């Protein structure tokens, strides 16, 4: 159990990207102090944090000093090495927990965990080597997607194996660096949705409305709320799934559950869990202006042991969130001039292709 | 003229209190960098700024280095010494300008300026010494308020002279430190309202809806929008007054114009300008959640040479803002738990009596 923190407390954030930056901004609105730990001196989150540690994620002494300086530790990305999480958790409450992190940062562990809850996932097989890939392909068929078990995001660390494609298992394994992998059978989905939700240490749970997500080059391009492809029944089922996952992880903080929307043989809508993100999530950025409590404020509330805020949509409006990826951010003046559009930029230096530079939120009342 | 800044620019903020802090948070949402200059190492705004200078407001070398490190300079309070403003303005665009500051930081200059625009003010007289006070009292009568010309805020630096009170002019002048003063005739007002508005260097103007303000012990306690005491005609007149003042000052940034609502002999509503604040203002805090653009974002837009944002109320909701002054901030848990209430705390250490510790905003749709 986490004791409830005072607003004079300091939150430690591991990771210095835009998610850490927006957590820090939400914490500041509550009067909380923030200490950011990140290896890159140029980290966007440093610009809004009262304290900064520039050190590697495996620098045990720096991690210990960081933990000792704060009252609670959280993180903005799931690829935190296990020893790092353990050093932090030994000294301060770590939310979400090292166990939740271990489950969700490995695609095989994560899919097995979800499947054991009786929640649908894509069919999957563990793949440790070329022989294993050949066996798994024989069982699941093609199309299928081979993914590294760890350290994948935004389409990195994965390889689509098309229907009919002649696959050389050894070559494909080498392409992914010979790492332990998971082969996932292709799910013929109609759309992708996600549920961003929060859970407290005492079991309190609060979900934002499910949103529909459109990707471009494996990167989130647009989020719509409410999700046009979900009826009320499927939306309720999506929330039920998110809650079951959060409860089973004994989760504290905000998490996102990405799901595929599929059409069953009887014409009914089904949901297949694709991925769990143990953190605030790009598909929840619409909540900054679109919800009565933002996902970032909600995360801060959860990790501080505070009651969760109202997740309702502001004025019941439909909301659209556009990511500004790479050079798309050059269009900032037009978004700034658009009445009612909310422009967010992350303060990153160079607009490299594929780099998330900002986002825009539009409320449609 | 100010060139339009890029989002990679750095804003310099003079003053480290909650207003500077909230300007910094708004700047961060646009990706801008922030450098805060303040004399107190404990300044709340330092916690959310990428760069900080701890130095006195008369430290010319520190001011010059600060100005050289930023692209534009603004400030969060009007009691900036004139030489300080001049050092800054000689090196970088200063918004609002040193001239606007000079006009508004002296109550006599300010009232004369407003009166010359043909806008009603309380009757006033300059008072330089005890003889002057006696003369002014003979002309304006009692009740009246004696105020120092400079450095007053939240009721500091003023003395009410009640009807029938036997006034010893020398003693009263001594009470206010023998400083140059202004005597203001009492205005029998029904309520107090303010207009928070923004103006750009090219003459763009945008005002938030006028709000009604309730004070306790001379400190703002509550703001309501729309102002219940203003009909549409008086509200339009309030905006016209604010625009005339902003235009006459050739103002760049957000300003607040405080007005008394009076009842004329014919029963019509009249407006009397009480004070101009050349900065973001406590009575505009409701705009963070209540308006499509916050006063802080609007100020950042104006000083960056960007187009002003939509000042409309979110969902057309009525909004209430409560200040948390001194020990009132101890009630933070109840506001945090109140559905739909937005709690803001400023990260100040000690909740001294009269100190503004935070605020709460409620939208009533």
């Amino acid at each position: 159990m986490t004791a409830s923190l005072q607003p004079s407390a300091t939150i430690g954030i591991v990771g210095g990207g835009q998610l850490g930056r927006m957590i820090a901004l939400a914490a500041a609105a509550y009067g909380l102090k923030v200490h950011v730990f990140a290896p890159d001196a140029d980290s966007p989150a440093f610009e809004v944090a009262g304290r900064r540690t520039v050190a590697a994620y495996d620098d045990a002494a720096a991690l210990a000093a960081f933990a000792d300086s704060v009252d609670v530790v959280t993180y903005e990305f799931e690829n935190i090495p296990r020893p790092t999480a353990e050093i932090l958790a030994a000294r301060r409450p770590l939310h979400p927990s090292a166990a939740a992190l271990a489950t969700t940062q490995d695609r095989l562990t994560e899919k097995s965990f979800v499947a054991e809850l009786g929640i649908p996932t894509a069919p999957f097989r563990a793949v440790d080597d070329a022989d294993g890939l050949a066996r798994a392909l024989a069982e699941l068929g093609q199309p299928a997607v081979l993914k590294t078990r760890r350290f994948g995001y935004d389409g990195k660390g994965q390889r689509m194996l098309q229907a009919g494609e002649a696959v050389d298992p050894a070559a494909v394994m080498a392409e992914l660096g010979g790492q332990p992998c998971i082969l996932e059978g292709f799910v013929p989905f109609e759309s992708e949705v996600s549920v961003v939700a929060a859970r407290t240490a005492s079991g309190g749970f609060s979900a934002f409305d499910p949103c529909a997500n459109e990707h471009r080059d494996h990167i989130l391009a647009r989020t719509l709320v409410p999700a046009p492809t979900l009826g009320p029944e499927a939306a309720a089922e999506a929330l039920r799934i998110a809650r079951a996952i959060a409860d089973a992880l004994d989760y504290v903080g905000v998490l996102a559950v990405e799901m595929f929307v599929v059409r069953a043989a009887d014409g009914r809508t089904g949901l297949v869990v694709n991925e769990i993100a143990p953190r605030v999530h790009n598909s929840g950025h619409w909540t900054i202006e679109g919800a009565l409590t933002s996902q970032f404020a909600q995360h801060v509330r959860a990790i501080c042991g505070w009651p969760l805020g109202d997740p309702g949509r502001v004025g019941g409006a439909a909301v659209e969130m556009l990511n500004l990826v790479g050079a798309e951010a050059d269009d900032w003046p037009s978004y700034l001039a658009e009445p009612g559009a909310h422009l967010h930029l992350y303060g990153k230096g160079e607009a490299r292709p594929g780099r998330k530079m900002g986002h825009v939120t539009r409320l449609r009342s």
Side-chain angles (χ1 to χ4, degrees), chain A:
Chain A
M1 289 295 294
T2 309
S4 174
L5 296 181
Q6 292 294 309
S8 56
T10 301
I11 292 184
I13 301 173
V14 179
Q18 68 270 17
L19 299 180
R21 181 177 168 108
M22 289 187 274
I23 295 170
L25 293 173
Y30 289 133
L32 294 156
K33 292 181 174 55
V34 170
H35 186 165
V36 170
F37 185 110
D40 182 349
D42 270 344
S43 297
F46 282 155
E47 294 293 326
V48 295
R51 290 192 64 182
R52 305 141 198 175
T53 295
V54 183
Y57 291 128
D58 61 359
D59 182 336
L63 289 166
F66 165 73
D68 289 348
S69 78
V70 304
D71 296 291
V72 63
V73 180
T74 190
Y75 43 89
E76 60 139 30
F77 71 118
E78 60 271 42
N79 292 326
I80 293 178
R82 183 166 202 144
T84 302
E86 283 165 358
I87 290 169
L88 297 168
R91 290 172 175 264
R92 286 292 182 275
L94 175 70
H95 298 310
S97 70
L101 194 57
T103 300
T104 54
Q105 72 184 184
D106 179 311
R107 291 180 195 279
L108 179 63
T109 316
E110 179 180 282
K111 280 237 158 38
S112 307
F113 160 77
V114 173
E116 276 161 28
L117 292 175
I119 296 168
T121 67
F124 63 91
R125 295 290 184 280
V127 169
D128 292 326
D129 52 28
D131 285 353
L133 176 55
R135 273 195 308 275
L137 278 171
E139 290 177 31
L140 299 185
Q142 287 172 236
V145 191
L146 186 69
K147 299 177 177 176
T148 58
R149 285 175 57 175
R150 297 172 61 105
F151 303 119
Y153 70 97
D154 287 351
K156 293 180 174 63
Q158 52 181 276
R159 170 72 151 78
M160 184 74 191
L161 305 171
Q162 303 290 357
E165 180 182 348
V167 174
D168 174 346
V172 169
M173 287 304 289
E175 262 182 60
L176 293 186
Q179 293 178 63
C181 286
I182 177 174
L183 186 73
E184 298 179 8
F186 182 76
V187 175
F189 60 90
E190 295 194 336
S191 65
E192 294 178 79
V193 297
S194 58
V195 174
V196 176
R199 188 177 179 277
T200 66
S202 52
F205 179 85
S206 175
F208 297 101
D209 286 336
C211 53
N213 300 318
E214 299 170 9
H215 293 80
R216 203 160 43 229
D217 302 329
H218 295 284
I219 299 172
L220 182 65
R222 193 163 85 119
T223 292
L224 293 174
V225 191
T229 52
L230 285 188
E233 231 175 278
E237 174 66 5
L239 299 190
R240 201 196 59 74
I241 289 172
R243 178 156 206 172
I245 288 172
D247 285 344
L249 291 170
D250 199 13
Y251 197 88
V252 176
V254 162
L255 88 173
V257 181
E258 298 182 43
M259 307 176 199
F260 295 133
V261 179
V262 296
R263 188 68 50 189
D266 63 0
R268 292 174 62 144
T269 300
L271 294 168
V272 172
V273 167
N274 179 40
E275 204 168 306
I276 304 166
R279 52 169 170 81
V280 293
H281 193 256
N282 197 164
S283 70
H285 290 359
W286 66 270
T287 60
I288 296 177
E289 291 89 10
L292 292 168
T293 308
S294 80
Q295 66 164 342
F296 303 101
Q298 200 73 304
H299 185 68
V300 168
R301 284 170 173 254
I303 67 172
C304 286
W306 294 349
L308 297 176
D310 188 336
R313 272 181 285 126
V314 169
V319 188
E320 176 186 37
M321 190 284 303
L322 297 179
N323 262 350
L324 301 179
V325 179
E328 289 168 2
D330 295 345
D331 292 336
W332 67 269
S334 73
Y335 295 114
L336 199 64
E338 181 185 315
H342 299 279
L343 172 69
H344 294 258
L345 294 169
Y346 306 146
K348 296 183 180 180
E350 199 194 338
R352 293 192 294 269
R355 196 175 196 200
K356 292 176 179 173
M357 302 300 292
H359 72 269
V360 175
T361 303
R362 294 176 172 133
L363 274 62
R364 309 199 178 283
S365 48

